[in-house]
């Protein structure tokens, strides 16, 4: 097969069309709607399902399937009873930079909405990750992540009460936890281990983030340590799969 040199870098080869040339009808509609999305631009209102079905001479169910995929990919968004062209996905770096820093770099306004801050005896399964013994007090901080007031994720942070004793008094839950540790307590992050997987949100998580339960999510588990190598926090962050992508810079580490 000859490589299609005129296609957009990063696009699927031959735009996803298999070698035998036969493509599902909904996919052909999806490709045509994708061109329409480019013409309309961000915030543009898409024609109704009925109008699209008449335009492309297909059933409304075929149109519905095409739109469903574009919604899941984050290229479209529901607005009231209509459908509009969504803005670009937020790019979050896989680094020790905070969520706040990552969102601000893209000209968006970060924010957080506090769901709860509670203190409880640390369970054995969590103890080693944050450097405490089982039963010692630990904080659990849960917040919805915002970008320009849009709910885009849900974050759970676990940290030892001994290391952050006044979290319930001196910390603004709408602000960066990393900045609080650095500026108020003199604690700097040294390194972290992260694991990323795709999941579906639980009914509770979907309700808090404001998404359908069937929307794919990107889940990041992070275990962080300070500059002295001492365990500091464990974080579970759920990001909307239709609103986020992640970037990383990779350095050479020997031969392949």
């Amino acid at each position: 097969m000859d490589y299609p040199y005129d296609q957009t870098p990063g696009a699927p080869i031959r735009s996803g069309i298999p070698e035998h040339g036969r493509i599902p009808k909904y996919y052909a509609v999806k490709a045509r709607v994708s061109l329409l999305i480019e013409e309309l631009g961000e915030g543009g209102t898409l024609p109704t399902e009925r109008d699209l079905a008449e335009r492309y001479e297909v059933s409304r169910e075929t149109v519905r399937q095409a739109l469903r995929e574009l919604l899941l990919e984050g290229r479209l968004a529901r607005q009231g009873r209509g459908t509009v062209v969504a803005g670009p996905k937020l790019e979050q770096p896989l680094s020790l930079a905070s969520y706040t820093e990552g969102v601000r770099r893209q000209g968006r306004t970060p924010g957080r909405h506090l769901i709860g801050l509670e203190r409880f005896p640390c369970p054995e399964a969590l103890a080693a990750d944050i450097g405490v013994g089982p039963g010692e007090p630990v904080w659990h901080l849960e917040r919805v992540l915002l970008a320009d007031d849009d709910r885009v994720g849900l974050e759970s942070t676990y940290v030892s009460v001994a290391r952050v004793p006044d979290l319930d008094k001196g910390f603004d839950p709408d602000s960066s936890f990393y900045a609080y540790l650095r500026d108020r307590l003199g604690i700097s992050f040294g390194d972290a281990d992260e694991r990323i997987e795709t999941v579906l949100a639980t009914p509770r998580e979907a309700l808090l983030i404001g998404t359908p339960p069937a929307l794919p999510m990107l889940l990041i588990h992070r275990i962080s340590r300070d500059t002295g190598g001492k365990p500091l926090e464990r974080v579970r962050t759920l990001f909307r799969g239709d609103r986020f992508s992640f970037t990383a810079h990779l350095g050479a580490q020997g031969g392949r």
Side-chain angles (χ1 to χ4, degrees):
M1 181 186 76
D2 293 331
Y3 187 87
Y5 289 102
D6 59 343
Q7 77 171 35
T8 303
I13 298 299
R14 294 181 57 182
S15 297
I17 300 173
E19 275 67 18
H20 56 56
R22 298 186 299 274
I23 62 172
K25 189 176 292 186
Y26 86 88
Y27 192 88
V29 172
K30 178 183 175 183
R32 297 178 73 176
V33 174
S34 294
L35 295 176
L36 180 59
I37 287 173
E38 294 179 8
E39 293 175 11
L40 292 172
E42 181 178 348
T45 302
L46 211 66
T48 65
E49 288 181 2
R50 176 179 294 178
D51 291 340
L52 291 172
E54 292 177 357
R55 178 184 301 194
Y56 302 134
E57 299 181 338
V58 296
S59 70
R60 290 183 65 177
E61 180 54 38
T62 298
V63 170
R64 194 170 294 124
Q65 186 174 358
L67 298 184
R68 196 155 43 230
E69 287 203 358
L70 291 166
L71 284 163
L72 288 174
E73 292 173 3
R75 301 190 63 192
L76 295 174
R78 297 294 190 194
Q79 189 172 88
R81 300 185 64 181
T83 304
V84 300
V85 178
K89 289 188 177 184
L90 288 161
E91 292 186 0
Q92 185 73 359
L94 292 174
S95 69
L96 282 174
S98 71
Y99 168 78
T100 299
E101 295 167 3
V103 173
R104 280 180 177 160
R105 275 200 295 264
Q106 296 167 78
R108 306 286 294 274
T109 301
R112 294 171 177 82
H113 172 68
L114 179 66
I115 300 301
L117 174 61
E118 52 188 344
R119 171 176 169 161
F120 58 90
C122 186
E124 186 172 356
L126 177 65
D129 292 342
I130 59 175
V132 301
E136 293 185 27
V138 61
W139 292 116
H140 173 227
L141 172 66
E142 185 178 36
R143 299 181 291 176
V144 172
L145 302 178
L146 307 173
D148 291 342
D149 294 325
D150 293 329
R151 291 177 285 174
V152 294
L154 182 66
E155 180 184 75
S156 287
T157 301
Y158 300 89
V159 63
S160 165
V161 171
R163 300 211 68 180
V164 192
D166 297 321
L167 189 62
D168 58 338
K169 300 173 184 175
F171 174 63
D172 176 6
D174 186 44
S175 65
S176 167
F177 179 58
Y178 287 12
Y180 172 77
L181 292 178
R182 181 186 62 240
D183 300 338
R184 295 285 297 274
L185 302 180
I187 299 174
S188 297
F189 284 81
D191 68 321
D193 295 317
E194 286 191 337
R195 177 167 59 88
I196 304 176
E197 58 183 310
T198 56
V199 299
L200 296 179
T202 66
R204 176 181 180 271
E205 291 168 337
L207 183 64
L208 289 173
I209 302 173
T211 61
L215 181 71
M217 297 281 180
L218 295 168
L219 174 60
I220 292 188
H221 303 271
R222 172 184 282 194
I223 298 175
S224 305
R225 292 168 287 272
D226 62 21
T227 51
K230 185 177 180 181
L232 181 55
E233 63 161 6
R234 176 168 183 159
V235 183
R236 181 186 188 276
T237 310
L238 201 62
F239 292 99
R240 289 181 56 159
D242 63 336
R243 300 307 304 137
F244 269 90
S245 64
F246 290 90
T247 61
H249 175 75
L250 305 178
Q253 292 186 342
R256 296 178 62 181

